Amino acid sequence: MAADEQVTLLDTWASSIGMRVRIALAEKGVKYEFIEQDLWSKSGLLLQMNPVHKKIPVLVHNGKPVCESLVIVQYIDEVWKDKAPLLPSDPYQRAQSRFWADFVDKKIYEHGRTIMTTKVEDQEATAKKDFIDTLKLMEGELGDKPYFGGETLGYVDVALLPYCCWFYTYEKILNFSLEADCPKLNAYCKRCLQKESVSKSLEDPKKIYDFALKLRKKLGVE
Amino acid sequence: MAADEQVTLLDTWASSIGMRVRIALAEKGVKYEFIEQDLWNKSGLLLQMNPVHKKIPVLVHNGKPVCESLVIAQYIDEVWKDKAPLLPSDPYQRAQSRFWADFVDKKIYEHVRTIMTTKVEDQEAAGKKDFIDTLKLMEGELGDKPYFGGETLGYVDVALLPYCCWFYTYENILNFSLEADCPKLNAYCKRCLQKESVSKSLEDPKKIYDFALKLRKKLGVE
């Protein structure tokens, strides 16, 4: 990276969507400054850098902000294009990668939000089943590939991998076992955590669970 | 286009997100076959081409499906890259375009779903003011540029322009005037409708309104 290159990430340590950006930066070997944000008392910097949504993550590159995790990941892929490409080069394969990353956003992210904002006793059988069915669909898409990106970690992996440290929390809240219900996805998470770019970008699942319980108490669902 | 090139669009005539794909194809001068879908009785073809979401639009290019309107728009931009580029070449500008297209998807698309599924008398409470504020935010982003894409029609324009033929419907349901509340956006729509790629891809606003009323009756809100 050039000596005058300044990369800052406005994020919160437990955020699954912030972790996407961390994985992408790590894959590209980009050094950056991580500035933890308080979302209950938003900083002037966050409000200045993301006036539209006022959310994390925000990547600030040489003073210019990029917002929305998957927009940021594509930006990282295009700026630092000489190392570890995240999107394939073929337009049809790129479209498939974008489709599945969008699926992770629409389905898994939304499921995660519902799980976190619902009391344990109200986690209906149907919602739990839908979540597990969604994970099984991802397993089907992974198939026998080591990564969704094929032989190397790609865009869809970046979108999905943060959940590997959140699954412990979902298992507890929903009372299911990833290993039992989605063994392939479980194995995928274990395998990917062996990569430094992933293990250094994710957080300890037990710390995430403590955090989740405190957050659920604050939201009045625990 | 090569003699053996086959482009098919599975769509419904009134769909604002289907129109995005039509505008993109028209900008690129791509000939395609439009196959109207019945969403109340989904065809085998649709279910085969979009098994995950079972929704339109689906672009089928030489037998291979691409789903999700903005994924399709980017695919079209990359395949037919020699004419009318929709995304800028600079990574930061591309990130800004993706951000605003995502904004149209997250905010405007969600607003209009609420508008369409809410009774007239409940519209104020359901967020009429928020919708108009969102449109004003888009006006601010447009500024003095002829298009969101700058001097030429771009990715954000493709995402937003279909609403130009739906605004008449929203004005009637919400009881507001786009010309009075968002004059810049109103002028932008009129200006863009002078482009053949836009006017041929959109539908008559009064036909859209008739369709919307029938749909609202079916949904029990009219």
Side-chain angles (χ1 to χ4, degrees), chain A residues 52-53 64-68 71 74-75 78-79 91-92 94-96 98-100 102-103 106 137, chain B residues 52-53 64-68 71 74-75 78-79 91-92 94-96 98-100 102-103 106-107 137:
Chain A
V52 173
H53 296 302
K64 299 200 295 188
V66 184
C67 307
E68 291 303 307
V71 174
Q74 290 192 75
Y75 174 77
E78 291 174 7
V79 170
Y92 187 75
R94 289 161 75 82
Q96 297 314 299
R98 287 184 177 125
F99 173 86
W100 284 102
D102 174 79
F103 179 85
K106 279 194 170 81
L137 198 66
Chain B
V52 174
H53 296 302
K64 300 198 296 187
V66 184
C67 306
E68 292 302 306
V71 174
Q74 290 190 74
Y75 173 77
E78 291 174 7
V79 171
Y92 188 74
R94 289 161 75 82
Q96 297 314 301
R98 287 184 175 125
F99 174 85
W100 284 104
D102 174 77
F103 180 85
K106 278 195 171 84
K107 295 280 182 177
L137 196 68

Side-chain angles (χ1 to χ4, degrees), chain B residues 54-161:
Chain B
K54 307 176 177 54
K55 290 181 177 177
I56 57 92
V58 182
L59 187 79
V60 188
H61 185 202
N62 294 333
K64 300 198 296 187
V66 184
C67 306
E68 292 302 306
S69 65
L70 294 181
V71 174
I72 299 170
Q74 290 190 74
Y75 173 77
I76 289 168
D77 199 32
E78 291 174 7
V79 171
W80 290 279
K81 58 187 189 299
D82 297 327
K83 184 177 176 182
L86 298 173
L87 276 167
S89 50
D90 169 71
Y92 188 74
Q93 296 306 324
R94 289 161 75 82
Q96 297 314 301
S97 293
R98 287 184 175 125
F99 174 85
W100 284 104
D102 174 77
F103 180 85
V104 172
D105 246 8
K106 278 195 171 84
K107 295 280 182 177
I108 298 179
Y109 182 69
E110 285 309 315
H111 274 305
V112 305
R113 268 171 41 130
T114 301
I115 291 168
M116 280 296 291
T117 56
T118 303
K119 289 183 178 173
V120 168
E121 55 267 32
D122 299 333
Q123 292 287 352
E124 290 280 351
K128 171 182 169 177
K129 185 183 178 303
D130 282 349
F131 177 59
I132 295 171
D133 285 347
T134 298
L135 297 181
K136 288 181 168 164
L137 196 68
M138 293 305 297
E139 282 193 315
E141 177 56 23
L142 180 65
D144 296 320
K145 304 192 296 294
Y147 302 99
F148 286 87
E151 293 303 312
T152 52
L153 194 149
Y155 185 60
V156 182
D157 302 283
V158 165
L160 184 67
L161 280 167

Side-chain angles (χ1 to χ4, degrees), chain A residues 78-122:
Chain A
E78 291 174 7
V79 170
W80 290 280
K81 57 188 188 299
D82 297 327
K83 184 177 177 183
L86 298 173
L87 275 167
S89 50
D90 170 71
Y92 187 75
Q93 294 308 323
R94 289 161 75 82
Q96 297 314 299
S97 293
R98 287 184 177 125
F99 173 86
W100 284 102
D102 174 79
F103 179 85
V104 173
D105 249 8
K106 279 194 170 81
K107 296 281 183 175
I108 297 179
Y109 180 69
E110 286 307 318
H111 277 304
R113 270 169 43 124
T114 302
I115 292 168
M116 279 296 291
T117 56
T118 305
K119 289 184 178 173
V120 168
E121 54 267 33
D122 297 335

Side-chain angles (χ1 to χ4, degrees), chain A residues 195-211:
Chain A
K195 275 179 77 72
E196 202 179 336
S197 62
V198 178
S199 61
K200 292 212 157 183
S201 304
L202 270 46
E203 299 286 342
D204 178 84
K206 302 232 162 80
K207 276 193 186 168
I208 292 285
Y209 184 50
D210 280 344
F211 165 83

Side-chain angles (χ1 to χ4, degrees), chain A residues 9 49-50 57-61 64-69 71-73 75-76, chain B residues 91-92 95-96 99:
Chain A
L9 177 60
M49 291 293 155
N50 192 354
V58 182
L59 188 79
V60 188
H61 185 203
K64 299 200 295 188
V66 184
C67 307
E68 291 303 307
S69 65
V71 174
I72 299 170
V73 171
Y75 174 77
I76 290 168
Chain B
Y92 188 74
Q96 297 314 301
F99 174 85

